[in-house]
């Protein structure tokens, strides 16, 4: 899919989405089969797939070991699992490596 997405529901991406996502009050999950190219604003973000862009995770940002990330990330709490692939990533917030 391609476009601009604004919603107030939990969202799971299991395919490809190109464009900005604004889901400020809810949870965004990108599965290991998912890919997002665009800026993301969400109440919390859980990434197991690929994400390229600026991510504002609000309260929590979880990067699973299968995640591939390129961009800047910010959240109150950032959890990075061992094995996560970070390319050109800038982390802001309280970072925990698991």
């Amino acid at each position: 899919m391609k476009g601009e997405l604004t919603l107030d529901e939990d969202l799971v991406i299991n395919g490809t989405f190109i464009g900005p996502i604004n889901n400020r009050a809810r949870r965004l999950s990108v599965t290991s089969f998912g890919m997002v190219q665009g800026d993301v604003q969400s109440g919390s973000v859980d990434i197991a797939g690929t994400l390229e862009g600026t991510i504002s995770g609000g309260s929590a940002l979880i990067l699973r070991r299968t995640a591939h990330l390129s961009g800047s990330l910010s959240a109150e709490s950032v959890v990075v699992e061992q094995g996560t692939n970070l390319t050109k990533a800038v982390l802001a917030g309280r970072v925990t490596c698991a």
Side-chain angles (χ1 to χ4, degrees):
M1 270 181 113
K2 193 178 206 179
E4 185 174 328
L5 187 57
T6 301
L7 66 154
D8 190 21
E9 299 291 330
D10 290 348
L11 175 64
V12 176
I13 296 183
N14 197 32
T16 299
F17 185 83
I18 300 171
I21 299 173
N22 187 347
N23 189 23
R24 196 97 180 133
R26 297 296 187 143
R27 180 181 184 90
L28 169 69
S29 298
V30 179
T31 70
S32 59
F33 299 106
M35 178 179 151
V36 174
Q37 289 179 329
D39 295 340
V40 171
Q41 292 184 344
S42 187
S44 65
V45 181
D46 188 337
I47 302 169
T50 301
L51 203 146
E52 298 173 4
T54 299
I55 305 162
S56 298
S59 62
L61 174 59
I62 300 170
L63 306 175
R64 305 291 178 183
R65 64 179 176 81
T66 55
H68 296 275
L69 234 14
S70 178
S72 63
L73 319 166
S74 67
E76 291 174 22
S77 172
V78 179
V79 176
V80 181
E81 287 186 351
Q82 184 176 359
T84 301
N85 185 352
L86 301 174
T87 306
K88 299 179 188 172
V90 177
L91 303 176
R94 189 181 69 230
V95 178
T96 303
C97 296

